[in-house]
Amino acid sequence: MNHITPPQLAEWLQDENRPSPFLLDVREPSEFEYCAIPGSVLMPMASVPARMQELEPDAEIVVICHHGGRSMQVAMFLERQGFTNLINLAGGVAQWAAQVDPTMPQY
C-alpha cells in the first residue's frame, strides 16, 4: 500500500494526461454528507466486505477517511483480498480541508 498527501492527490486529479483514481471514502454517511472530496464514492468501512465486487481489483484506488486510520485499515483489508493498487490518503479529509480546500467544513 502506498500513501499520498492531499496536495499530491489534488495535482493528480488535475492532470489530464493521467487517469483519475477511484476515490473510495469509507466514512459514515453523516460525515460524508457534511464534507466530501469531489468525485469520491461513499462505502462505509463496515460495508466494504459485502460491496467489494463494486471495486476493480487492478484499479488505482485512493482510500479516504477523516484522518487516515479507517482508510488504512480498509486498504490493508483490500490488499489481503488481492487488490493491488491501493493508496491511503495521508491525513484524510481533515488534511484535504486544511491543505487543498480551506472552504471545506471541518469537524
Side-chain angles (χ1 to χ4, degrees):
M1 170 189 16
N2 293 311
H3 300 274
I4 192 168
T5 65
Q8 290 170 324
L9 178 58
E11 184 178 308
W12 181 1
L13 294 173
Q14 293 173 357
D15 185 347
E16 295 176 6
N17 297 318
R18 186 175 180 190
S20 292
F22 184 85
L23 303 176
L24 175 63
D25 194 318
V26 297
R27 295 176 298 152
E28 294 301 311
S30 60
E31 297 172 296
F32 186 80
E33 288 175 19
Y34 186 68
C35 62
I37 296 174
S40 59
V41 174
L42 177 64
M43 188 181 294
M45 182 177 181
S47 70
V48 170
R51 295 179 60 190
M52 281 189 320
Q53 72 280 3
E54 297 175 36
L55 304 172
E56 294 181 37
D58 296 325
E60 290 182 298
I61 301 173
V62 176
V63 189
I64 302 165
C65 71
H66 187 225
H67 287 294
R70 281 181 278 184
S71 57
M72 187 175 301
Q73 289 179 2
V74 169
M76 289 188 302
F77 168 77
L78 290 172
E79 274 187 334
R80 289 190 303 271
Q81 304 307 310
F83 287 77
T84 57
N85 295 311
L86 297 159
I87 304 162
N88 182 55
L89 179 61
V93 173
Q95 284 302 307
W96 180 273
Q99 297 176 353
V100 175
D101 184 3
T103 64
M104 180 183 283
Q106 295 191 42
Y107 61 96

